[in-house]
Amino acid sequence: MSRMRQRVASRLKESQNTAAMLTTFQEVDMGNFMEMRVRHKDEFEKKHGVKLGFMSVFVKACTSALQEVPAINAYIDDEAKEIVYRDYCDVSVAVASPNGLVVPVLRNTEYMSFADVERTIALFGKKAREGSLSLDDMTGGTFTISNGGVFGSLMGTPIINQPQSAILGMHATKMRAVVDEKGNVVARPMMYLALTYDHRLIDGREGVTFLKSVADKITDPSRLVFDI
């Protein structure tokens, strides 16, 4: 095993042995954001020099929901036996590299725009492929987003990245039959979201409230504009 693989294995097992992990699920209709992305992606890329992907809307939706439900962004200080609440959002984003999975950190995402998020993720992806990510790039983080959907995963239960208290798992977008507001069965692009959280710190109410808030903001991206 490579040193990186040994370290990843050690951290994952440490997380399993430490946290009381529970996973809750929610489905989200990606249709409105996908339509908005098609309308504006060319203009977005022309202005900002980076493509508009899915990660930026999820990072911004999670950041907003973290501010609404502070327990998801907190952690347990085992030595002091205290819960520490953070007033900032540093979102770790899982990125595949030739040597394995790496998790660089987007700092202070509460102040980042969609373009800032996409630009920084693109930079991290380039660094990961070149093997030039530094320890500082991957240190810290208050919450993690993992996108198994890029590999076709329909549903999974991600493992918390210690000492964080929760992780969001994104999955593949698939056309599925759903019942609309008028009672008609229609085909919509749907994604399953999974939130694994540490039940020692986060109750079911907080976990479900957070995940439902993320899903609502993705389903109706205008909620991000109006901060609701």
Side-chain angles (χ1 to χ4, degrees), residues 46-80:
K46 181 179 179 181
K47 179 176 181 178
H48 299 291
V50 66
K51 293 182 178 179
L52 176 60
F54 282 179
M55 285 305 299
S56 54
V57 71
F58 275 95
V59 168
K60 294 303 294 180
C62 286
T63 299
S64 179
L66 287 171
Q67 294 173 316
E68 294 169 2
V69 189
I72 308 295
N73 204 41
Y75 72 97
I76 295 175
D77 185 332
D78 290 315
E79 290 188 5

Side-chain angles (χ1 to χ4, degrees), residues 73-93:
N73 204 41
Y75 72 97
I76 295 175
D77 185 332
D78 290 315
E79 290 188 5
K81 304 298 181 184
E82 294 179 345
I83 297 173
V84 180
Y85 292 91
R86 302 177 174 100
D87 60 359
Y88 59 92
C89 300
D90 287 353
V91 178
S92 305
V93 180

Side-chain angles (χ1 to χ4, degrees), residues 1 18 39 52 65 77 98 101 106 119 123 125 134:
M1 293 174 69
T18 301
R39 287 199 307 272
L52 176 60
D77 185 332
L101 190 69
L106 301 169
R119 195 178 293 116
L123 176 61
S134 68

Side-chain angles (χ1 to χ4, degrees), residues 58-194:
F58 275 95
V59 168
K60 294 303 294 180
C62 286
T63 299
S64 179
L66 287 171
Q67 294 173 316
E68 294 169 2
V69 189
I72 308 295
N73 204 41
Y75 72 97
I76 295 175
D77 185 332
D78 290 315
E79 290 188 5
K81 304 298 181 184
E82 294 179 345
I83 297 173
V84 180
Y85 292 91
R86 302 177 174 100
D87 60 359
Y88 59 92
C89 300
D90 287 353
V91 178
S92 305
V93 180
V95 175
S97 77
N99 296 319
L101 190 69
V102 292
V103 192
V105 181
L106 301 169
R107 310 286 179 184
N108 294 112
T109 53
E110 66 271 27
Y111 299 120
M112 297 180 79
S113 66
F114 277 62
D116 292 333
V117 172
E118 295 290 358
R119 195 178 293 116
T120 307
I121 290 175
L123 176 61
F124 283 149
K126 183 174 182 290
K127 283 187 172 183
R129 291 189 297 272
E130 296 173 348
S132 61
L133 279 171
S134 68
L135 187 60
D136 286 342
D137 289 330
M138 296 180 284
T139 300
T142 64
F143 180 79
T144 295
I145 301 175
S146 177
N147 186 6
V150 296
F151 305 110
S153 172
L154 183 63
M155 186 180 292
T157 54
I159 297 175
I160 295 169
N161 182 20
Q162 289 287 332
Q164 298 173 18
S165 297
I167 179 173
L168 179 79
M170 298 166 54
H171 299 93
T173 301
K174 301 287 186 181
M175 296 300 294
R176 291 205 302 274
V178 299
V179 180
D180 66 14
E181 296 176 352
K182 298 179 180 179
N184 300 314
V185 177
V186 296
R188 297 292 296 173
M190 305 297 292
M191 177 192 290
Y192 287 119
L193 300 179

Side-chain angles (χ1 to χ4, degrees), residues 191-205:
M191 177 192 290
Y192 287 119
L193 300 179
L195 179 75
T196 298
Y197 58 92
D198 190 343
H199 213 344
R200 298 178 304 160
L201 166 63
I202 301 166
D203 291 331
R205 180 183 65 180

